[in-house]
Amino acid sequence: MPTHLTHWGAVEVETDGKALTSLRPWSGDPDPRDIIRNLESAQHHPARVLRPAVRRGWLESGASSRASRGDEPFVEVSWDHAIDVVSKELNRVYSEHGPSAIYGGSYGWASAGRFHHAQSQIHRFLNKLGGYVAGLGDYSYGASGVLLPHIIASAGEIMGGATSWDVVSEETELFVAFGGLSEKNSGIAPGGIGRHVARSAIEQAVARGCRFVDISPIADDTYAEAKAEWIAPRPGSDAALMLSLAFVLDSEGLADQDFLARYCVGMDRFLPYLKGDTDGVPKDPTWAERLTSIPASRISRLAREMASSRTMINLSWSMQRQQHGEQPIWLGVVLAAMLGQIGLPGGGFQHGYGSAADIGLPLRVASPPSLPQGPERVAAAIPVARISDMLLSPGTEIDFDGRKIVMPKIELIYWAGGNPFHHHQHLARLRNAFKKPATVIVHEQFWTSTARHADIVLPATMSFERDDFGAGRNDPTFFPMHALTEPAGEARDDYVIFAAIAEQLGVGEAFTGGRDAMGWLRHLYDGWQAKLNDDGVTVVDFDTFWASESIQIPVINQDQILFSEFRRTPDAHPLRTASGKIEIFSQTIASFGYDDCPGHPTWIEPDEWLGNTTTFPLQLIANQPKTRLHSQLDIGKTSQASKVGGREPLRMHPHDAAVRGLKDGDIVRVWNRRGSCLAGLVLSTALRQGVVQLSSGAWYDPDPDDPSFCRHGNPNVLTADKPSSSLSQATTATHTLVEVEKWHGPTPGLAVNRPPSFVSV
Ligand SMILES: Nc1nc2c(c(=O)[nH]1)N[C@H]1C(S)=C(S)[C@@H](COP(=O)(O)OP(=O)(O)OC[C@H]3O[C@@H](n4cnc5c(=O)[nH]c(N)nc54)[C@H](O)[C@@H]3O)O[C@H]1N2
Ligand SMILES: Nc1nc2c(c(=O)[nH]1)N[C@H]1C(S)=C(S)[C@@H](COP(=O)(O)OP(=O)(O)OC[C@H]3O[C@@H](n4cnc5c(=O)[nH]c(N)nc54)[C@H](O)[C@@H]3O)O[C@H]1N2
Ligand SMILES: [Mo]
């Protein structure tokens, strides 16, 4: 059976040339996941975009109809017509407003496959046309991504250089997982994953005697095989917990002074705050107990256990997808520095074991080839999660990482491979923001809420409808990905669509380089093989690769240990921080003068948390969904099987349900002052009391009379569009305060599972 790679694993499929007829996990994967089943029925689902479509008002009266965006039927048009109107509109906007009026950040995961990767395609295309406004950073680790280079190393260096699972399974004695060690999230990796290895590494570690501590509001978001002790602080209070751990290490003489002196700067600036000399508040366990609800005695004991063991501190990405998300990450590094085990086998810290399948895979000799996007012509760039602010308030100035950014005025949005009406916060606000530009163009496979809020929707192929090759970040298994079926409807590859528009705008040759997709695959592979050859690494030629099931890219060192070189020879391998050392105090960050991110890690109370429920009483965790990747294939089998009464499941502790007279299976209304949604109630003691979980990704299904009410259960109608801090301006999507009540009215039907209405003009 031919193989195919997805972000959620490799599969073996059979087809009849038009549709997948059977699908099973790739035989090489020791731990495949059920999410692969979402593929089965999706290709020919009624929500598939089959033909180019233009919103009626835009076709009839162009930009002046922008206020109806999201509310109007579409008109299906021919490809020739669609290419013509898109080309003319791009030409108009480039000549009248220039590239700083075109938002092409186009954030999103799209599909696995190195060549057809939608963001690479759209960025190459817009670069050839004259440039665009880009998005900086990501939704995944937007806060830590800006912080970490100042204090130790880039997120990429830390994750790519992670101490390998093999080393953890053999060496770690105590694994302290802040934010859990998620089974569901480590099913997935950007670009795909061949073999899922985390579960067996955890099993081996446990069998050897390693102990796992899970610090998280949700107990089952850690592999059951870890047999972890569960500690559930108030969400958002980890910085307080970590400060008190640091306090115990310091006051009981357990900190590694030699390590701090040799490899770190700034402990002297941090200690007076830790001890309370600067603010009169010692950050001791009693102080932390009030904030976290974790008994002071347990905190002290945990600090001693950490100091007396080979301890790995894991910091999930969710820890920083919050207001002041920099602080727990910075403190995790500080704790690891105080323990003095950074660079030793099985000790130190990592940012995101469990957050994705690739974290803990050792580096390969080379990344597989990908489409060149440059030369980059970025006309302006905004922190990616500030999109609504940009669209609503052009000309305003914001802080970002020590500089000022002026929000550009956007005339045209062009999106391929992402779903902002899934990924962004406060969707009613985003909907208003999306009504500002003259034109919105989207390439999509499905009638997602973003497609429904566009003016021109162009149908894109799914990954198994086109030839490509793929390997995830750090994954040594490199798969050829043959086209397995013909495209559904009139769908075309993003590449083919961009090539046709580029041709009409006079940059066809510049965009395509005179190649079709297969020509590009061969060209990219040949160049990669030649480069590896020069480096003394032999890989098979393209034809052999293309005929294979997969090939292995050699790994540099299976027993990779994060920061081992820095530890061995700090002078020869300094960090790329201002001091070349780990910065417990950062003069650079201090010099920015931000109240919400001072020069050393600090406890700053969040706006919405269980320590202050004067507004709403329950802490909503809007985390990643177990049954799909984000919003992708929400209409698929695994995702649909999880719905309760057709709504996204909301998990709640039985005690919180009893207080509200709610029972398992009830349809409930979740609300706060930003919006509301329906959900289907699931009771579970895996949740801390006071915490409810509504994962992201249910397709936004706004009530026609009230777009702040989602009938399906998308938590982003509730989340705040509030930045993490002035330093990083990142999303804070994970936490929101809400109330939950029984829904008494008739349960409304859903519009998202079928296409929008079409009219002819
Ligand atoms: N409340 C809350 N919100 C969150 C998060 C959270 O934890 N809580 N997490 C955030 C995070 S970390 C992330 S990364 C984002 C994810 O946000 P996104 O990456 O935007 O989400 P996806 O659902 O993966 O959207 C990808 C879209 O691309 C389409 N697509 C797939 N392949 C192709 C292709 O080849 N071509 C084209 N044209 N389209 C394609 C899919 O149909 C889908 O609609 O969400 C963020 N939003
Ligand atoms: N199945 C699946 N896997 C995915 C994705 C998906 O959509 N589906 N998305 C992928 C992407 S793009 C990303 S960025 C990663 C994200 O990876 P993460 O950011 O790690 O994932 P989340 O699911 O948002 O959160 C993980 C867990 O953190 C815990 N948590 C939440 N808030 C707090 C807190 O304040 N303190 C503590 N101590 N714990 C807290 C909760 O148990 C939560 O379930 O996942 C990736 N993996
Ligand atoms: Mo992400």
Side-chain angles (χ1 to χ4, degrees), residues 646-726:
R647 317 293 135 166
E648 188 64 16
L650 174 107
R651 295 209 298 168
M652 181 184 261
H653 191 279
H655 174 79
D656 293 321
V659 171
R660 291 169 175 77
L662 300 173
K663 58 180 195 315
D664 202 76
D666 277 351
I667 301 298
V668 292
R669 175 176 170 266
V670 193
W671 58 286
N672 62 20
R673 66 194 149 71
R674 287 176 291 269
S676 59
C677 67
L678 297 184
L681 195 67
V682 174
L683 300 187
S684 170
T685 51
L687 278 93
R688 184 195 197 280
Q689 274 187 36
V691 168
V692 290
Q693 175 196 346
L694 179 63
S695 296
S696 61
W699 288 2
Y700 170 53
D701 196 324
D703 182 289
D705 299 321
D706 174 11
S708 74
F709 173 50
C710 171
R711 298 172 292 196
H712 187 193
N714 186 317
N716 278 330
V717 294
L718 304 159
T719 52
D721 191 0
K722 186 182 284 181
S724 44
S725 73
S726 312

Side-chain angles (χ1 to χ4, degrees), residues 107-111 116 118 139-140 321 416-420 422-425 443-446 448 460-461 466 494 622-624 629-632 696 715-716 719 733-734:
Y107 183 78
W109 269 55
S111 295
H116 288 290
Y139 283 71
S140 307
R321 207 174 298 109
N419 186 0
H422 149 68
H423 67 231
H424 197 55
Q425 287 55 67
H443 296 188
E444 249 300 345
Q445 301 164 334
F446 293 92
T448 61
T461 47
R466 58 201 184 203
D494 294 297
N623 61 350
Q624 314 293 328
L629 171 66
H630 315 134
S631 69
Q632 292 200 32
S696 61
N716 278 330
T719 52
T734 304

Side-chain angles (χ1 to χ4, degrees), residues 635-648:
I635 39 82
K637 195 169 156 185
T638 306
S639 183
Q640 286 298 313
S642 74
K643 306 273 173 175
V644 177
R647 317 293 135 166
E648 188 64 16

Side-chain angles (χ1 to χ4, degrees), residues 184-185 215-216 221 236 238 318 321-322 355 623 625 628 630:
K184 65 178 173 58
N185 294 359
I215 301 177
S216 159
D221 218 357
D238 300 85
S318 60
R321 207 174 298 109
Q322 322 179 355
S355 293
N623 61 350
R628 58 183 175 263
H630 315 134

Side-chain angles (χ1 to χ4, degrees), residues 250 396 574 651 730:
D250 176 68
T396 53
R651 295 209 298 168

